[in-house]
PDB file of all heavy atoms in Angstrom:
ATOM      1  N   GLN A   1      29.166  -1.782  29.155  1.00 95.00           N
ATOM      2  CA  GLN A   1      29.005  -2.127  27.736  1.00 95.00           C
ATOM      3  C   GLN A   1      28.931  -3.622  27.509  1.00 95.00           C
ATOM      4  O   GLN A   1      28.154  -4.099  26.692  1.00 95.00           O
ATOM      5  CB  GLN A   1      30.150  -1.527  26.893  1.00 95.00           C
ATOM      6  CG  GLN A   1      29.857  -1.493  25.416  1.00 95.00           C
ATOM      7  CD  GLN A   1      28.591  -0.664  25.100  1.00 95.00           C
ATOM      8  OE1 GLN A   1      28.422   0.452  25.558  1.00 95.00           O
ATOM      9  NE2 GLN A   1      27.702  -1.273  24.293  1.00 95.00           N
ATOM     10  N   SER A   2      29.697  -4.360  28.285  1.00 94.00           N
ATOM     11  CA  SER A   2      29.628  -5.808  28.139  1.00 94.00           C
ATOM     12  C   SER A   2      28.215  -6.335  28.468  1.00 94.00           C
ATOM     13  O   SER A   2      27.677  -7.202  27.813  1.00 94.00           O
ATOM     14  CB  SER A   2      30.614  -6.477  29.128  1.00 94.00           C
ATOM     15  OG  SER A   2      31.947  -6.272  28.693  1.00 94.00           O
ATOM     16  N   ASN A   3      27.658  -5.743  29.481  1.00 96.00           N
ATOM     17  CA  ASN A   3      26.252  -6.098  29.850  1.00 96.00           C
ATOM     18  C   ASN A   3      25.237  -5.751  28.780  1.00 96.00           C
ATOM     19  O   ASN A   3      24.452  -6.575  28.372  1.00 96.00           O
ATOM     20  CB  ASN A   3      25.874  -5.427  31.176  1.00 96.00           C
ATOM     21  CG  ASN A   3      24.519  -5.844  31.653  1.00 96.00           C
ATOM     22  OD1 ASN A   3      24.249  -7.048  31.867  1.00 96.00           O
ATOM     23  ND2 ASN A   3      23.577  -4.883  31.854  1.00 96.00           N
ATOM     24  N   LEU A   4      25.345  -4.554  28.284  1.00 97.00           N
ATOM     25  CA  LEU A   4      24.425  -4.112  27.228  1.00 97.00           C
ATOM     26  C   LEU A   4      24.580  -4.903  25.957  1.00 97.00           C
ATOM     27  O   LEU A   4      23.560  -5.260  25.276  1.00 97.00           O
ATOM     28  CB  LEU A   4      24.614  -2.620  26.957  1.00 97.00           C
ATOM     29  CG  LEU A   4      24.219  -1.649  28.081  1.00 97.00           C
ATOM     30  CD1 LEU A   4      24.571  -0.217  27.695  1.00 97.00           C
ATOM     31  CD2 LEU A   4      22.761  -1.763  28.431  1.00 97.00           C
ATOM     32  N   ASP A   5      25.827  -5.232  25.610  1.00 96.00           N
ATOM     33  CA  ASP A   5      26.093  -6.029  24.411  1.00 96.00           C
ATOM     34  C   ASP A   5      25.464  -7.446  24.544  1.00 96.00           C
ATOM     35  O   ASP A   5      24.857  -7.963  23.593  1.00 96.00           O
ATOM     36  CB  ASP A   5      27.565  -6.167  24.141  1.00 96.00           C
ATOM     37  CG  ASP A   5      28.215  -4.868  23.678  1.00 96.00           C
ATOM     38  OD1 ASP A   5      27.473  -3.935  23.370  1.00 96.00           O
ATOM     39  OD2 ASP A   5      29.447  -4.803  23.749  1.00 96.00           O
ATOM     40  N   ALA A   6      25.549  -7.999  25.707  1.00 96.00           N
ATOM     41  CA  ALA A   6      25.012  -9.357  25.950  1.00 96.00           C
ATOM     42  C   ALA A   6      23.492  -9.286  25.884  1.00 96.00           C
ATOM     43  O   ALA A   6      22.861 -10.246  25.269  1.00 96.00           O
ATOM     44  CB  ALA A   6      25.455  -9.881  27.316  1.00 96.00           C
ATOM     45  N   LEU A   7      22.896  -8.288  26.412  1.00 97.00           N
ATOM     46  CA  LEU A   7      21.377  -8.161  26.335  1.00 97.00           C
ATOM     47  C   LEU A   7      20.952  -8.009  24.916  1.00 97.00           C
ATOM     48  O   LEU A   7      19.958  -8.607  24.508  1.00 97.00           O
ATOM     49  CB  LEU A   7      20.936  -6.977  27.186  1.00 97.00           C
ATOM     50  CG  LEU A   7      21.198  -6.967  28.689  1.00 97.00           C
ATOM     51  CD1 LEU A   7      20.649  -5.706  29.347  1.00 97.00           C
ATOM     52  CD2 LEU A   7      20.520  -8.207  29.326  1.00 97.00           C
ATOM     53  N   GLN A   8      21.655  -7.209  24.144  1.00 97.00           N
ATOM     54  CA  GLN A   8      21.275  -6.987  22.742  1.00 97.00           C
ATOM     55  C   GLN A   8      21.415  -8.279  21.953  1.00 97.00           C
ATOM     56  O   GLN A   8      20.514  -8.642  21.141  1.00 97.00           O
ATOM     57  CB  GLN A   8      22.208  -5.910  22.167  1.00 97.00           C
ATOM     58  CG  GLN A   8      21.918  -5.557  20.704  1.00 97.00           C
ATOM     59  CD  GLN A   8      20.530  -4.980  20.439  1.00 97.00           C
ATOM     60  OE1 GLN A   8      19.956  -4.318  21.357  1.00 97.00           O
ATOM     61  NE2 GLN A   8      19.945  -5.232  19.283  1.00 97.00           N
ATOM     62  N   ALA A   9      22.477  -8.998  22.152  1.00 96.00           N
ATOM     63  CA  ALA A   9      22.700 -10.261  21.402  1.00 96.00           C
ATOM     64  C   ALA A   9      21.619 -11.261  21.774  1.00 96.00           C
ATOM     65  O   ALA A   9      21.094 -11.977  20.899  1.00 96.00           O
ATOM     66  CB  ALA A   9      24.099 -10.793  21.708  1.00 96.00           C
ATOM     67  N   LEU A  10      21.263 -11.368  23.034  1.00 96.00           N
ATOM     68  CA  LEU A  10      20.214 -12.325  23.472  1.00 96.00           C
ATOM     69  C   LEU A  10      18.864 -11.916  22.869  1.00 96.00           C
ATOM     70  O   LEU A  10      18.115 -12.808  22.412  1.00 96.00           O
ATOM     71  CB  LEU A  10      20.128 -12.350  24.992  1.00 96.00           C
ATOM     72  CG  LEU A  10      19.146 -13.368  25.569  1.00 96.00           C
ATOM     73  CD1 LEU A  10      19.608 -14.795  25.277  1.00 96.00           C
ATOM     74  CD2 LEU A  10      18.954 -13.194  27.057  1.00 96.00           C
ATOM     75  N   SER A  11      18.574 -10.668  22.856  1.00 97.00           N
ATOM     76  CA  SER A  11      17.340 -10.172  22.287  1.00 97.00           C
ATOM     77  C   SER A  11      17.222 -10.498  20.794  1.00 97.00           C
ATOM     78  O   SER A  11      16.193 -10.938  20.309  1.00 97.00           O
ATOM     79  CB  SER A  11      17.208  -8.684  22.503  1.00 97.00           C
ATOM     80  OG  SER A  11      16.026  -8.150  21.885  1.00 97.00           O
ATOM     81  N   GLU A  12      18.337 -10.316  20.123  1.00 97.00           N
ATOM     82  CA  GLU A  12      18.332 -10.605  18.661  1.00 97.00           C
ATOM     83  C   GLU A  12      18.229 -12.122  18.388  1.00 97.00           C
ATOM     84  O   GLU A  12      17.619 -12.534  17.427  1.00 97.00           O
ATOM     85  CB  GLU A  12      19.638 -10.054  18.027  1.00 97.00           C
ATOM     86  CG  GLU A  12      19.706  -8.525  18.025  1.00 97.00           C
ATOM     87  CD  GLU A  12      21.043  -7.967  17.531  1.00 97.00           C
ATOM     88  OE1 GLU A  12      21.967  -8.829  17.272  1.00 97.00           O
ATOM     89  OE2 GLU A  12      21.194  -6.773  17.433  1.00 97.00           O
ATOM     90  N   GLN A  13      18.827 -12.883  19.275  1.00 95.00           N
ATOM     91  CA  GLN A  13      18.819 -14.356  19.092  1.00 95.00           C
ATOM     92  C   GLN A  13      17.500 -14.974  19.471  1.00 95.00           C
ATOM     93  O   GLN A  13      16.971 -15.882  18.770  1.00 95.00           O
ATOM     94  CB  GLN A  13      19.931 -14.990  19.905  1.00 95.00           C
ATOM     95  CG  GLN A  13      19.993 -16.499  19.803  1.00 95.00           C
ATOM     96  CD  GLN A  13      21.015 -17.107  20.764  1.00 95.00           C
ATOM     97  OE1 GLN A  13      21.673 -16.389  21.521  1.00 95.00           O
ATOM     98  NE2 GLN A  13      21.198 -18.409  20.708  1.00 95.00           N
ATOM     99  N   LYS A  14      16.883 -14.537  20.588  1.00 96.00           N
ATOM    100  CA  LYS A  14      15.732 -15.203  21.133  1.00 96.00           C
ATOM    101  C   LYS A  14      14.502 -14.314  21.268  1.00 96.00           C
ATOM    102  O   LYS A  14      13.464 -14.795  21.734  1.00 96.00           O
ATOM    103  CB  LYS A  14      16.050 -15.821  22.514  1.00 96.00           C
ATOM    104  CG  LYS A  14      17.138 -16.899  22.403  1.00 96.00           C
ATOM    105  CD  LYS A  14      17.284 -17.687  23.714  1.00 96.00           C
ATOM    106  CE  LYS A  14      18.286 -18.809  23.537  1.00 96.00           C
ATOM    107  NZ  LYS A  14      18.395 -19.591  24.801  1.00 96.00           N
ATOM    108  N   GLY A  15      14.602 -13.065  20.841  1.00 97.00           N
ATOM    109  CA  GLY A  15      13.446 -12.165  20.844  1.00 97.00           C
ATOM    110  C   GLY A  15      13.420 -11.349  22.145  1.00 97.00           C
ATOM    111  O   GLY A  15      14.013 -11.690  23.140  1.00 97.00           O
ATOM    112  N   ARG A  16      12.640 -10.230  22.081  1.00 97.00           N
ATOM    113  CA  ARG A  16      12.586  -9.320  23.219  1.00 97.00           C
ATOM    114  C   ARG A  16      12.031  -9.980  24.465  1.00 97.00           C
ATOM    115  O   ARG A  16      12.325  -9.591  25.589  1.00 97.00           O
ATOM    116  CB  ARG A  16      11.701  -8.079  22.848  1.00 97.00           C
ATOM    117  CG  ARG A  16      12.329  -7.169  21.774  1.00 97.00           C
ATOM    118  CD  ARG A  16      13.506  -6.453  22.298  1.00 97.00           C
ATOM    119  NE  ARG A  16      13.222  -5.587  23.427  1.00 97.00           N
ATOM    120  CZ  ARG A  16      14.113  -4.880  24.128  1.00 97.00           C
ATOM    121  NH1 ARG A  16      15.387  -4.954  23.788  1.00 97.00           N
ATOM    122  NH2 ARG A  16      13.768  -4.111  25.171  1.00 97.00           N
ATOM    123  N   GLN A  17      11.183 -11.017  24.278  1.00 97.00           N
ATOM    124  CA  GLN A  17      10.589 -11.651  25.416  1.00 97.00           C
ATOM    125  C   GLN A  17      11.663 -12.340  26.313  1.00 97.00           C
ATOM    126  O   GLN A  17      11.409 -12.626  27.495  1.00 97.00           O
ATOM    127  CB  GLN A  17       9.545 -12.674  25.004  1.00 97.00           C
ATOM    128  CG  GLN A  17      10.068 -13.927  24.331  1.00 97.00           C
ATOM    129  CD  GLN A  17      10.285 -13.748  22.817  1.00 97.00           C
ATOM    130  OE1 GLN A  17      10.209 -12.638  22.296  1.00 97.00           O
ATOM    131  NE2 GLN A  17      10.536 -14.862  22.143  1.00 97.00           N
ATOM    132  N   ALA A  18      12.818 -12.596  25.734  1.00 97.00           N
ATOM    133  CA  ALA A  18      13.882 -13.167  26.515  1.00 97.00           C
ATOM    134  C   ALA A  18      14.403 -12.261  27.642  1.00 97.00           C
ATOM    135  O   ALA A  18      15.007 -12.709  28.595  1.00 97.00           O
ATOM    136  CB  ALA A  18      15.053 -13.579  25.624  1.00 97.00           C
ATOM    137  N   LEU A  19      14.141 -10.929  27.468  1.00 98.00           N
ATOM    138  CA  LEU A  19      14.566  -9.984  28.478  1.00 98.00           C
ATOM    139  C   LEU A  19      13.565  -9.771  29.602  1.00 98.00           C
ATOM    140  O   LEU A  19      13.795  -8.933  30.466  1.00 98.00           O
ATOM    141  CB  LEU A  19      14.910  -8.633  27.754  1.00 98.00           C
ATOM    142  CG  LEU A  19      15.941  -8.717  26.707  1.00 98.00           C
ATOM    143  CD1 LEU A  19      16.310  -7.284  26.220  1.00 98.00           C
ATOM    144  CD2 LEU A  19      17.230  -9.415  27.155  1.00 98.00           C
ATOM    145  N   LEU A  20      12.419 -10.464  29.540  1.00 98.00           N
ATOM    146  CA  LEU A  20      11.475 -10.356  30.643  1.00 98.00           C
ATOM    147  C   LEU A  20      12.021 -11.062  31.883  1.00 98.00           C
ATOM    148  O   LEU A  20      12.756 -12.012  31.778  1.00 98.00           O
ATOM    149  CB  LEU A  20      10.175 -10.957  30.197  1.00 98.00           C
ATOM    150  CG  LEU A  20       9.448 -10.309  29.056  1.00 98.00           C
ATOM    151  CD1 LEU A  20       8.198 -11.111  28.639  1.00 98.00           C
ATOM    152  CD2 LEU A  20       9.066  -8.879  29.361  1.00 98.00           C
ATOM    153  N   GLY A  21      11.625 -10.540  33.026  1.00 97.00           N
ATOM    154  CA  GLY A  21      12.185 -11.019  34.268  1.00 97.00           C
ATOM    155  C   GLY A  21      12.038 -12.515  34.467  1.00 97.00           C
ATOM    156  O   GLY A  21      12.958 -13.165  34.956  1.00 97.00           O
ATOM    157  N   HIS A  22      10.931 -13.103  34.040  1.00 97.00           N
ATOM    158  CA  HIS A  22      10.721 -14.530  34.269  1.00 97.00           C
ATOM    159  C   HIS A  22      11.400 -15.394  33.198  1.00 97.00           C
ATOM    160  O   HIS A  22      11.509 -16.648  33.408  1.00 97.00           O
ATOM    161  CB  HIS A  22       9.221 -14.866  34.336  1.00 97.00           C
ATOM    162  CG  HIS A  22       8.493 -14.636  33.033  1.00 97.00           C
ATOM    163  ND1 HIS A  22       8.015 -13.459  32.614  1.00 97.00           N
ATOM    164  CD2 HIS A  22       8.170 -15.536  32.032  1.00 97.00           C
ATOM    165  CE1 HIS A  22       7.437 -13.564  31.433  1.00 97.00           C
ATOM    166  NE2 HIS A  22       7.511 -14.817  31.078  1.00 97.00           N
ATOM    167  N   ASN A  23      11.878 -14.776  32.132  1.00 97.00           N
ATOM    168  CA  ASN A  23      12.504 -15.562  31.097  1.00 97.00           C
ATOM    169  C   ASN A  23      14.034 -15.430  31.045  1.00 97.00           C
ATOM    170  O   ASN A  23      14.734 -16.296  30.509  1.00 97.00           O
ATOM    171  CB  ASN A  23      12.011 -15.132  29.732  1.00 97.00           C
ATOM    172  CG  ASN A  23      10.563 -15.606  29.419  1.00 97.00           C
ATOM    173  OD1 ASN A  23      10.167 -16.633  29.989  1.00 97.00           O
ATOM    174  ND2 ASN A  23       9.837 -14.857  28.638  1.00 97.00           N
ATOM    175  N   PHE A  24      14.531 -14.322  31.597  1.00 97.00           N
ATOM    176  CA  PHE A  24      15.923 -13.903  31.244  1.00 97.00           C
ATOM    177  C   PHE A  24      16.977 -14.947  31.584  1.00 97.00           C
ATOM    178  O   PHE A  24      17.772 -15.379  30.761  1.00 97.00           O
ATOM    179  CB  PHE A  24      16.212 -12.565  31.933  1.00 97.00           C
ATOM    180  CG  PHE A  24      17.618 -12.091  31.699  1.00 97.00           C
ATOM    181  CD1 PHE A  24      18.029 -11.762  30.415  1.00 97.00           C
ATOM    182  CD2 PHE A  24      18.518 -12.004  32.746  1.00 97.00           C
ATOM    183  CE1 PHE A  24      19.338 -11.302  30.196  1.00 97.00           C
ATOM    184  CE2 PHE A  24      19.795 -11.564  32.511  1.00 97.00           C
ATOM    185  CZ  PHE A  24      20.203 -11.225  31.241  1.00 97.00           C
ATOM    186  N   VAL A  25      17.025 -15.347  32.873  1.00 94.00           N
ATOM    187  CA  VAL A  25      18.093 -16.253  33.304  1.00 94.00           C
ATOM    188  C   VAL A  25      17.994 -17.609  32.573  1.00 94.00           C
ATOM    189  O   VAL A  25      19.000 -18.154  32.097  1.00 94.00           O
ATOM    190  CB  VAL A  25      18.113 -16.460  34.824  1.00 94.00           C
ATOM    191  CG1 VAL A  25      19.174 -17.461  35.248  1.00 94.00           C
ATOM    192  CG2 VAL A  25      18.341 -15.163  35.543  1.00 94.00           C
ATOM    193  N   TYR A  26      16.760 -18.117  32.440  1.00 93.00           N
ATOM    194  CA  TYR A  26      16.582 -19.343  31.725  1.00 93.00           C
ATOM    195  C   TYR A  26      17.008 -19.255  30.234  1.00 93.00           C
ATOM    196  O   TYR A  26      17.589 -20.140  29.664  1.00 93.00           O
ATOM    197  CB  TYR A  26      15.113 -19.821  31.805  1.00 93.00           C
ATOM    198  CG  TYR A  26      14.883 -21.117  31.032  1.00 93.00           C
ATOM    199  CD1 TYR A  26      15.268 -22.314  31.608  1.00 93.00           C
ATOM    200  CD2 TYR A  26      14.289 -21.084  29.772  1.00 93.00           C
ATOM    201  CE1 TYR A  26      15.044 -23.495  30.906  1.00 93.00           C
ATOM    202  CE2 TYR A  26      14.101 -22.284  29.068  1.00 93.00           C
ATOM    203  CZ  TYR A  26      14.482 -23.485  29.654  1.00 93.00           C
ATOM    204  OH  TYR A  26      14.288 -24.656  28.958  1.00 93.00           O
ATOM    205  N   ALA A  27      16.740 -18.051  29.656  1.00 94.00           N
ATOM    206  CA  ALA A  27      17.030 -17.810  28.245  1.00 94.00           C
ATOM    207  C   ALA A  27      18.509 -17.948  27.966  1.00 94.00           C
ATOM    208  O   ALA A  27      18.912 -18.430  26.886  1.00 94.00           O
ATOM    209  CB  ALA A  27      16.497 -16.457  27.767  1.00 94.00           C
ATOM    210  N   TYR A  28      19.339 -17.524  28.883  1.00 90.00           N
ATOM    211  CA  TYR A  28      20.756 -17.614  28.618  1.00 90.00           C
ATOM    212  C   TYR A  28      21.467 -18.775  29.275  1.00 90.00           C
ATOM    213  O   TYR A  28      22.601 -19.151  28.900  1.00 90.00           O
ATOM    214  CB  TYR A  28      21.505 -16.331  28.954  1.00 90.00           C
ATOM    215  CG  TYR A  28      21.814 -16.022  30.412  1.00 90.00           C
ATOM    216  CD1 TYR A  28      22.864 -16.663  31.061  1.00 90.00           C
ATOM    217  CD2 TYR A  28      21.063 -15.107  31.115  1.00 90.00           C
ATOM    218  CE1 TYR A  28      23.172 -16.403  32.393  1.00 90.00           C
ATOM    219  CE2 TYR A  28      21.366 -14.847  32.456  1.00 90.00           C
ATOM    220  CZ  TYR A  28      22.413 -15.454  33.085  1.00 90.00           C
ATOM    221  OH  TYR A  28      22.697 -15.177  34.396  1.00 90.00           O
ATOM    222  N   SER A  29      20.827 -19.464  30.240  1.00 83.00           N
ATOM    223  CA  SER A  29      21.542 -20.556  30.931  1.00 83.00           C
ATOM    224  C   SER A  29      20.700 -21.799  31.201  1.00 83.00           C
ATOM    225  O   SER A  29      21.225 -22.808  31.591  1.00 83.00           O
ATOM    226  CB  SER A  29      22.086 -20.048  32.271  1.00 83.00           C
ATOM    227  OG  SER A  29      21.040 -19.802  33.240  1.00 83.00           O
TER     228      SER A  29
END
């Protein structure tokens, strides 16, 4: 659940494209 909550929050903050493989780690760190 912690993982899913973090993904959802990042998606809401930066858009669904933040969850793409080439964007994800950069999007949060």
Side-chain angles (χ1 to χ4, degrees):
Q1 196 58 49
S2 291
N3 184 57
L4 293 176
D5 290 346
L7 297 180
Q8 180 64 30
L10 183 67
S11 177
E12 292 175 356
Q13 179 186 2
K14 297 191 175 182
R16 292 290 300 175
Q17 71 275 10
L19 302 186
L20 297 176
H22 67 276
N23 286 333
F24 178 65
V25 177
Y26 179 78
Y28 78 78
S29 69

